[in-house]
Amino acid sequence: MMKAQDGAGSFLLFVTPLLFPYGFASELSVVTCGSVVKLLNTKHNVRLHSHDVRYGSGSGQQSVTGVTAADDGNSYWRIRGKTSTVCERGTLVKCGQSVRLTHVNTGRNLHSHHFTSPLSGNQEVSAFGDDGEGDILDDWTVLCNGEFWQRNEEVRFKHVSTNVLLSITGEQYGRPINGQREVHGMTYAGPHNYWKVMEGIFMKPSEPPRTDFSHSEL
């Protein structure tokens, strides 16, 4: 029971908990296909970001960076099945599953290849493709503990084709993206390649058959 007050007096609000079938409530904490999320690099406290700015060297593809601003609309990524597959909306993402991360505002996929990143000399990470369709170099494996990718869990992303880990080590760009951090691929695991889901729109898992839910009237 909660008591709330307003200028006209007070009222009592009775809250009845929602009763989910066994196991369904815990599934709400799992990352699902179709969700649109921001990903935080937990070592450097920056969010994975892209924009219609191309690298001046390397591949010349759309750049991928890290930004400190939590409210930047260019930091949203949609979680999808790996290349040439469909992961139905609301499907739980398993640890060890390969996915694509599609930049919402430009429709290009998180991508890597054997080009050198401009600042650190690691492997370049870019955004590639049109309307969400690129190639097999867009596929990343989710490395986590347990069976499914949990929303409150730090995870790593391993590039399927080249085996590098999605990383940030702190190098900063100048103009026209002053202060943004370089995102690149590294060959070894460490604190620089941990990521965590933050803000987003999360697709609920497919709801299991309903049982008899008890309820009470206000």
Side-chain angles (χ1 to χ4, degrees):
M1 181 178 71
M2 295 189 300
K3 183 175 182 180
Q5 296 188 358
D6 57 27
S10 63
F11 62 92
L12 296 179
L13 176 63
F14 293 86
V15 178
T16 301
L18 291 176
L19 302 178
F20 292 104
Y22 178 77
F24 183 63
S26 63
E27 290 180 353
L28 299 178
S29 65
V30 176
V31 177
T32 54
C33 287
S35 295
V36 174
V37 302
K38 293 184 178 182
L39 293 167
L40 179 76
N41 182 281
T42 56
K43 170 67 174 177
H44 297 278
N45 199 36
V46 293
R47 285 162 174 78
L48 189 68
H49 178 91
S50 193
H51 38 225
D52 197 12
V53 176
R54 294 183 176 271
Y55 288 121
S57 62
S59 69
Q61 293 176 1
Q62 181 172 301
S63 58
V64 173
T65 63
V67 296
T68 57
D71 59 353
D72 194 314
N74 272 322
S75 300
Y76 283 111
W77 301 82
R78 186 182 306 279
I79 300 168
R80 303 169 62 216
K82 67 180 181 179
T83 302
S84 301
T85 69
V86 174
C87 185
E88 296 294 339
R89 187 172 68 177
T91 301
L92 307 181
V93 177
K94 294 181 178 180
C95 295
Q97 180 175 337
S98 295
V99 299
R100 283 173 290 177
L101 297 172
T102 301
H103 188 244
V104 171
N105 284 351
T106 64
R108 296 189 172 100
N109 299 323
L110 190 71
H111 182 94
S112 194
H113 39 215
H114 291 297
F115 286 93
T116 300
S117 63
L119 301 182
S120 67
N122 288 300
Q123 184 166 301
E124 183 188 276
V125 170
S126 64
F128 175 76
D130 292 298
D131 296 325
E133 297 307 318
D135 60 29
I136 60 172
L137 297 177
D138 302 337
D139 294 341
W140 299 80
T141 300
V142 182
L143 303 181
C144 52
N145 299 313
E147 185 176 4
F148 297 107
W149 177 7
Q150 301 291 329
R151 284 165 55 177
N152 63 355
E153 179 182 10
E154 294 183 353
V155 304
R156 290 187 171 105
F157 297 98
K158 186 175 184 178
H159 192 238
V160 172
S161 295
T162 66
N163 294 320
V164 297
L165 297 165
L166 185 69
S167 306
I168 292 178
T169 49
E171 297 84 3
Q172 297 188 30
Y173 288 104
R175 292 183 179 181
I177 50 176
N178 188 53
Q180 296 186 24
R181 312 296 174 86
E182 182 187 82
V183 174
H184 51 249
M186 296 176 64
T187 57
Y188 58 90
H192 302 289
N193 34 62
Y194 276 119
W195 300 84
K196 184 179 178 182
V197 168
M198 299 298 287
E199 306 83 3
I201 300 171
F202 299 91
M203 298 296 107
K204 292 194 301 183
S206 299
E207 187 169 350
R210 294 177 63 87
T211 59
D212 291 333
F213 297 140
S214 62
H215 66 278
S216 62
E217 302 296 335
L218 293 180

